[in-house]
Amino acid sequence: MAVQLSTKHLLGIKSLTKEDIELIFRTADNFKDVINRPIKKVPSLRDVTIANLFFENSTRTRISFELAEKRLSADVVNFSASSSSVKKGETLLDTVNNILSMKIDMIVMRHPAPGAPVFLSRHIDANIINAGDGTHEHPTQALLDAYSIREQLGVFENKNVVIFGDILHSRVALSNILCLQKLGAKVKVCGPPTLIPKYINQLGVGVEYNVQKALEWCDVANILRIQLERQDIKFIPSLREYSLYYGINRKLLDKIDKDIVIMHPGPINRGVEITSDVADSKQSIILQQVENGVAIRMAILYLLAARRGKIQ
Ligand code: CP
């Protein structure tokens, strides 16, 4: 059983072993207990300073990381590209080196360019945590998603997960596929042919274009939104048509004879990829995912700091 992460950074699920993921889950179990206590704070990261660098919008991930850092007693600085000197033409490396000269131990970064965290990890000594890089990976989202599935189903072996929606533009989809496969689950994707990447079969993932058949096959439906901000051409005729053919609604779920687990990483577009009666139903664990995100991020920060010998 692993007691230390095999990696200095969390750049993507691709670079984690199954043992790393299981260690993160075991550590998150402890932190989930901590955040449900009356006193939710531990001193573990008292001498650690963390910079949250967000070059792209975020609600859940940014707040979740900040909360996780504060629950671990780290010193936290927040950076938002829209109010920084990036607007004056400063490069990513110059920005980060300037921040690091203020003695920062860890960087949590969201960036629109795929590979930006890998680039930084080759130039600086601080631990880098990828909080989403363009259409590439969103490893902490995949870890909290898999952790939430583990909570619901106990095991991954012989469990079927379908990821619905805009797979082509989704970093959540790739990280989820890699994570769930490492843990032993079977994964399919379902969406319009224009939003399924051509390379999907190389990932060992099945494709189902029929939503009803996909729902019948799965134990878990992870529903993604259409990422219009990443689409420079039209991939679907309209959101109304997408909703009609690929939206998950109560009528579809009532036709299958089991209660599948409904997930969504957020932000939700109600009435497009998911109806409100499904998003807010007992089957939905959308808010549990958000709660688990704090415990998972505490676990990652703790384990990376432990690797550096920085734990109190
Ligand atoms: N799930 C997710 O990454 O949400 P945010 O973009 O709000 O961080």
Side-chain angles (χ1 to χ4, degrees):
M1 206 182 274
V3 291
Q4 182 174 282
L5 287 179
S6 67
T7 171
K8 175 182 169 183
H9 309 285
L10 178 58
L11 302 174
I13 298 293
K14 201 172 176 188
S15 52
L16 292 182
T17 63
K18 185 181 180 191
E19 289 69 34
D20 286 330
I21 298 171
E22 288 170 346
L23 173 62
I24 292 168
F25 287 178
R26 286 196 304 278
T27 311
D29 287 340
N30 292 330
F31 285 127
K32 196 158 176 190
D33 286 345
V34 169
I35 60 179
N36 282 297
R37 285 185 204 150
I39 295 170
K40 300 172 176 59
K41 210 162 168 164
V42 288
S44 313
L45 265 60
R46 217 172 41 202
D47 275 343
V48 176
T49 307
I50 305 175
N52 298 316
L53 313 187
F54 278 73
F55 293 84
E56 210 187 57
N57 294 344
S58 170
T59 300
R60 278 145 292 269
T61 313
R62 190 174 53 78
I63 294 175
S64 180
F65 264 114
E66 191 172 341
L67 206 53
E69 291 152 5
K70 288 181 172 168
R71 298 271 189 253
L72 289 166
S73 306
D75 291 320
V76 180
V77 284
N78 289 308
F79 163 98
S80 155
S82 57
S83 57
S84 75
S85 291
V86 169
K87 293 273 174 210
K88 300 174 191 164
E90 193 168 59
T91 66
L92 173 62
L93 194 54
D94 281 337
T95 301
V96 172
N97 272 328
N98 275 275
I99 292 168
L100 285 177
S101 66
M102 300 181 225
K103 312 288 177 225
I104 302 288
D105 299 295
M106 288 190 192
I107 288 182
V108 174
M109 186 170 77
R110 171 168 287 191
H111 199 281
V118 174
F119 168 78
L120 269 196
S121 72
R122 290 184 183 148
H123 290 88
I124 63 175
D125 185 45
N127 304 94
I128 312 284
I129 301 171
N130 180 1
D133 60 332
T135 54
H136 179 222
E137 279 227 43
H138 193 347
T140 59
Q141 181 68 47
L143 288 164
L144 76 88
D145 288 345
Y147 184 78
S148 304
I149 292 173
R150 169 183 177 261
E151 224 171 40
Q152 295 297 312
L153 304 181
V155 293
F156 293 93
E157 285 75 22
N158 299 318
K159 300 298 180 197
N160 297 338
V161 180
V162 175
I163 304 172
F164 289 88
D166 183 358
I167 312 300
L168 186 66
H169 300 98
S170 172
R171 54 192 173 212
V172 174
L174 179 61
S175 289
N176 260 267
I177 289 166
L178 297 173
C179 189
L180 292 167
Q181 286 180 335
K182 282 184 194 221
L183 293 167
K186 293 197 200 88
V187 186
K188 284 188 183 180
V189 295
C190 177
T194 49
L195 292 176
I196 306 288
K198 301 266 182 292
Y199 58 79
I200 199 79
N201 293 329
Q202 292 168 25
L203 295 172
V205 171
V207 182
E208 177 57 72
Y209 295 108
N210 182 300
V211 172
Q212 191 70 54
K213 281 190 187 161
L215 287 171
E216 277 160 15
W217 180 79
C218 71
D219 300 295
V220 177
N222 195 354
I223 302 158
L224 308 181
R225 79 188 163 86
I226 300 291
Q227 310 209 15
L228 291 174
E229 75 277 19
R230 298 211 175 97
Q231 300 182 13
D232 43 12
I233 56 168
K234 259 186 173 293
F235 288 83
I236 49 170
S238 67
L239 289 180
R240 193 171 160 275
E241 193 163 318
Y242 178 83
S243 171
L244 208 57
Y245 289 102
Y246 291 96
I248 306 299
N249 57 51
R250 177 50 52 199
K251 210 168 143 196
L252 285 167
L253 292 180
D254 283 347
K255 283 190 201 157
I256 55 175
D257 60 2
K258 56 181 175 179
D259 268 357
I260 60 174
V261 178
I262 299 292
M263 302 177 71
H264 194 307
I268 292 177
N269 288 145
R270 288 175 184 265
V272 180
E273 71 274 8
I274 188 168
T275 53
S276 283
D277 55 359
V278 175
D280 303 331
S281 68
K282 283 202 179 108
Q283 282 170 265
S284 161
I285 60 161
I286 294 171
L287 293 179
Q288 283 103 300
Q289 289 172 256
V290 178
E291 182 188 340
N292 286 336
V294 178
I296 282 288
R297 291 178 174 116
M298 285 174 82
I300 292 159
L301 295 163
Y302 177 90
L303 290 166
L304 289 177
R307 218 175 169 276
R308 281 171 85 101
K310 295 279 278 185
I311 291 297
Q312 293 294 305

